[in-house]
Amino acid sequence: MFKTLRNAWAIPDLRKKLLFTIFMLVIFRLGSVIPVPGLDPNAMKAFMSGDGGMGLLTLLDTFTGGAFSNATIFAMGITPYINASIIMQLLTVAIPALERMQKEGEEGRKKINSFTRYGTVVLALIQAVGLYFTLQNSQVVSQPGIMSFLVIALTFTAGTAFVMWVGEQITEKGVGNGISLLIFAGIVSRGPHMIVTLYNQFLGANMSIGSVITLVLVIALFLAVLGFVVFMNNAERRIPVQYAKRVVGRKMYGGQSTNIPIKVAMAGVIPIIFASSILSFPATIAQFMGGMPTEGFWAGFFHALSTDSWVYVVLYFLLIIFFTYFYTAMQFNPVEMSNNIKKNGGFVPGIRP
């Protein structure tokens, strides 16, 4: 890995892209510590550490690298853009006009990207309004009022729009996918906090041989799971394709052998985000309405959807499978692919055309 980075740094063009990507990530992290006017950071931390920190807000805080719990301008992060992108992908499958637009090439993709940006701003504004009233009910807003509402809601929305712009700039002028890098940077930024937590839990005042062994096993398990996830994410099934020879004029075309790389985990992390968001949604709505019920049917309902319930584990497992199948079916059309291969004179060895 270090040799690859050293070789990339030696190429001027790649060096500029690496420096630009690092610069944009630094801007992203700087925005994650600039507070929003009108919010009390101490009250926000108390809100997140108590019952208010359940549901989608905890997931949002994880993706933003703690920007939400610190009441900063990037509190909503890139999640509205992710939601807008997923909605546009669904609409592209459901609406024929958008499907035709997607097949128009570069111009069609530009139009869909433009729709996605507008959708991001609309979703960010709706989410910002909901967050304002949630924080107002939790006494996080210092001086509630119409001016406070406008400042906080518009600041949240503008922060999301700026993060979206940063991600697109990284994709266009930097290295890798900008949105994925921003999510990665937000999650990795929680690393020091996790290290301090592990140290206090295993190597603090009650340190013993058993706690040291447990810590080593936890780190080893973490690295093993990380390696397995990377392996599965990069795994692919390569379908061999043979193209027949054909003569056009005086030239002969085809005759070569190639393959179609089909990813095993084509849906990536999208099903996990969908499943966790749906299961966290009821608890988040309960927080918007004033708090979790303590007795009756709804208390049992929310307890069943808590993370320490077997019902939650089973539903989480089933939803991940369902969304993986659904998203893969959207992304991969075997009929269209087989027709394209047949039109170009290709066939899979051993399979009838």
Side-chain angles (χ1 to χ4, degrees):
M1 180 182 71
F2 294 106
K3 184 178 179 180
T4 303
L5 290 176
R6 187 171 63 249
N7 294 336
W9 189 261
I11 303 174
D13 189 37
L14 283 179
R15 184 166 62 245
K16 290 180 181 179
K17 290 187 175 184
L18 287 171
L19 289 174
F20 181 82
T21 302
I22 294 172
F23 176 69
M24 283 297 178
L25 291 178
V26 169
I27 291 178
F28 171 67
R29 290 310 303 161
L30 286 176
S32 300
V33 296
I34 300 176
V36 176
L39 293 181
D40 186 356
N42 296 325
M44 175 70 92
K45 290 181 180 179
F47 168 67
M48 290 298 295
S49 61
D51 291 336
M54 298 178 62
L56 286 173
L57 301 183
T58 304
L59 186 65
L60 178 63
D61 190 51
T62 301
F63 284 155
T64 58
F68 182 79
S69 59
N70 293 328
T72 63
I73 59 175
F74 290 168
M76 295 196 308
I78 201 66
T79 50
Y81 181 83
I82 297 174
N83 295 333
S85 300
I86 294 172
I87 291 173
M88 281 303 302
Q89 288 179 354
L90 294 174
L91 292 178
T92 301
V93 176
I95 301 177
L98 290 177
E99 187 176 3
R100 289 193 299 269
M101 187 182 299
Q102 188 182 37
K103 295 179 179 179
E104 289 177 359
E106 188 64 27
E107 289 299 321
R109 283 192 294 270
K110 286 182 179 179
K111 292 179 182 178
I112 291 180
N113 290 337
S114 178
F115 293 154
T116 304
R117 295 189 192 100
Y118 291 133
T120 299
V121 175
V122 172
L123 290 178
L125 183 60
I126 295 173
Q127 186 174 337
V129 172
L131 283 176
Y132 172 81
F133 288 109
T134 302
L135 299 177
Q136 179 182 334
N137 295 335
S138 303
Q139 299 179 348
V140 178
V141 180
S142 303
Q143 296 178 343
I146 183 65
M147 282 303 299
S148 179
F149 166 76
L150 291 176
V151 169
I152 293 174
L154 292 179
T155 301
F156 279 156
T157 305
T160 294
F162 185 78
V163 171
M164 175 183 64
W165 178 82
V166 169
E168 290 184 344
Q169 291 301 306
I170 293 176
T171 302
E172 182 179 351
K173 302 177 182 179
V175 178
N177 183 280
I179 304 304
S180 300
L181 282 176
L182 292 180
I183 296 174
F184 173 76
I187 296 175
V188 169
S189 65
R190 305 286 288 177
H193 175 73
M194 295 173 59
I195 292 174
V196 172
T197 302
L198 287 174
Y199 178 83
N200 294 333
Q201 185 173 357
F202 294 102
L203 303 179
N206 299 324
M207 185 179 68
S208 62
I209 299 297
S211 62
V212 174
I213 294 175
T214 304
L215 177 60
V216 172
L217 291 176
V218 169
I219 295 176
L221 180 62
F222 169 77
L223 294 176
V225 171
L226 182 63
F228 180 73
V229 169
V230 173
F231 173 77
M232 290 302 298
N233 185 65
N234 294 331
E236 59 186 23
R237 172 73 182 273
R238 297 179 179 178
I239 308 298
V241 178
Q242 179 75 34
Y243 287 93
K245 294 181 180 180
R246 53 196 178 95
V247 178
V248 180
R250 293 186 177 183
K251 293 185 179 181
M252 181 176 293
Y253 296 91
Q256 74 271 21
S257 298
T258 183
N259 60 74
I260 304 173
I262 301 177
K263 291 182 68 68
V264 174
M266 191 175 295
V269 75
I270 297 298
I272 299 175
I273 297 176
F274 264 37
S276 55
S277 299
I278 288 178
L279 291 177
S280 302
F281 191 71
T284 306
I285 293 298
Q287 294 299 329
F288 286 173
M289 301 302 293
M292 302 284 287
T294 57
E295 58 183 13
F297 169 78
W298 290 111
F301 173 78
F302 287 115
H303 175 71
L305 293 182
S306 61
T307 55
D308 57 351
S309 169
W310 67 269
V311 178
Y312 178 91
V313 175
V314 173
L315 288 177
Y316 193 44
F317 175 77
L318 295 176
L319 283 175
I320 288 176
I321 292 179
F322 170 75
F323 284 122
T324 301
Y325 179 84
F326 178 75
Y327 196 80
T328 303
M330 283 177 44
Q331 295 289 104
F332 183 75
N333 188 342
V335 175
E336 182 179 357
M337 181 171 289
S338 62
N339 287 333
N340 290 335
I341 294 174
K342 189 165 59 175
K343 288 178 183 177
N344 291 297
F347 61 93
V348 177
I351 307 295
R352 290 173 57 189

